[in-house]
Structures are given as C-alpha cells and as structure tokens.
C-alpha cells in the first residue's frame, strides 16, 4: 500500500477523526498535511476552540504521518504549545514532519495553522513502533 492508501485506510476506521471532519490534503511517507473546519461543538466556554480539540487534531496528524509506511506506531509522548486561540468558522491545517527516527521510535514536529496561516499551536510527538502492520490491528 502507498502512504496515502494506508492513511485513507486508517481514516476509514477512525470515527473520531471523521467526526472532526478531517480531510487529507497531502500524504507522503512519514508526512501528512490535513485540514479540519472548526464547528460550534468544538468551542469552549470562552468562545474559543477547546484545547483538547486542537490536541486531538495534532494527534491525528501524528497518527497519519507516523503510520503511513504501514508499520504501526503509537504515541509515546506529546507536547503542545498553544500560540493563538481559534474561533468557530476557522479552518485548521496540521502539517506533520518527521524530525528523527530510530529503530523503535520517531519524533515528529506538527504545526497547526488557521486559514490565514497564523500559528495556532506547535506540537511535538514521539511515537513507539510496536512491531506490527497497521492492517494487522
């Protein structure tokens, strides 16, 4: 399977990412660019995007980029820094880029921006390669 086919396979059974209306823009090995519209159900009591939604969006980007070789990997550690509040009606984009890889782990930088290319959050995710194929799970 190509990286895009693996990512599409994963998204097809990822009901949470589907609920977030995530759309694949670009996928290549160890990389992805995804997009998500911000809807009313994602807004917190301060009328901004809930931090958990932003984190979950970045986590989906991590999953689609770190698993698209077909080798399954799970999140080991993730850190997020929020830089700008999102609002209802925004369109978020997450770009996930491989930074470092070892036999059992990999580190990805994920940048989340809005439709104006303003930085919303910076996320760093470390994954652990579990030694199974994505399609085996």
């Amino acid at each position: 399977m190509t990286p895009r086919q693996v990512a599409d396979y994963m998204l097809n059974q990822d009901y949470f990412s589907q609920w977030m209306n995530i759309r694949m823009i670009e996928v290549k090995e160890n990389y992805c660019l995804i997009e998500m519209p911000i809807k009313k159900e994602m807004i917190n009591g301060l009328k901004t995007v809930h931090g958990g939604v932003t984190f979950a969006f970045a986590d989906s980007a991590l999953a689609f980029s770190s698993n698209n070789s077909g080798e399954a990997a799970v999140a080991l550690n993730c850190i997020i820094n929020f830089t700008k509040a999102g609002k209802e009606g925004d369109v978020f984009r997450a770009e996930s880029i491989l930074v470092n890889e070892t036999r059992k782990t990999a580190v990805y930088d994920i940048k989340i921006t809005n439709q104006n290319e303003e930085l919303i959050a910076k996320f760093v995710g470390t994954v652990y390669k579990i030694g199974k194929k994505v399609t085996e799970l």
Side-chain angles (χ1 to χ4, degrees):
M1 293 173 70
T2 67
R4 179 61 185 244
Q5 289 170 326
V6 174
D8 286 342
Y9 171 86
M10 291 177 65
L11 181 58
N12 189 50
Q13 53 198 7
D14 181 346
Y15 300 109
F16 187 70
S17 290
Q18 289 175 36
W19 175 82
M20 291 193 296
N21 292 320
I22 288 177
R23 190 169 66 91
M24 301 276 179
I25 305 297
E26 184 179 358
V27 178
K28 28 188 193 186
E29 191 164 344
N30 298 311
Y31 172 90
C32 78
L33 177 64
I34 60 176
E35 190 173 84
M36 171 184 77
I38 300 302
K39 51 189 179 179
K40 184 172 123 180
E41 296 85 2
M42 298 173 169
I43 301 302
N44 65 22
L46 299 177
K47 299 181 183 173
T48 61
V49 177
H50 192 288
V53 170
T54 305
F55 188 98
F57 181 52
D59 187 50
S60 289
L62 177 65
F64 297 135
S65 58
S66 66
N67 284 279
N68 71 30
S69 68
E71 300 299 321
V74 295
L76 189 60
N77 184 53
C78 300
I79 299 168
I80 192 166
N81 286 292
F82 301 100
T83 56
K84 182 175 179 59
K87 304 277 187 191
E88 183 179 353
D90 281 350
V91 177
F92 282 8
R93 277 193 164 198
E95 183 178 40
S96 180
I97 300 171
L98 176 67
V99 175
N100 186 57
E101 185 173 35
T102 69
R103 189 173 48 81
K104 294 301 282 180
T105 65
V107 178
Y108 288 80
D109 271 347
I110 298 163
K111 182 173 74 169
I112 299 173
T113 56
N114 65 14
Q115 67 279 2
N116 300 319
E117 298 184 12
E118 298 167 313
L119 185 66
I120 298 296
K122 182 73 166 48
F123 180 102
V124 177
T126 301
V127 296
Y128 177 75
K129 300 172 193 175
I130 63 173
K132 294 184 179 183
K133 300 281 185 197
V134 168
T135 54
E136 293 174 352
L137 302 173

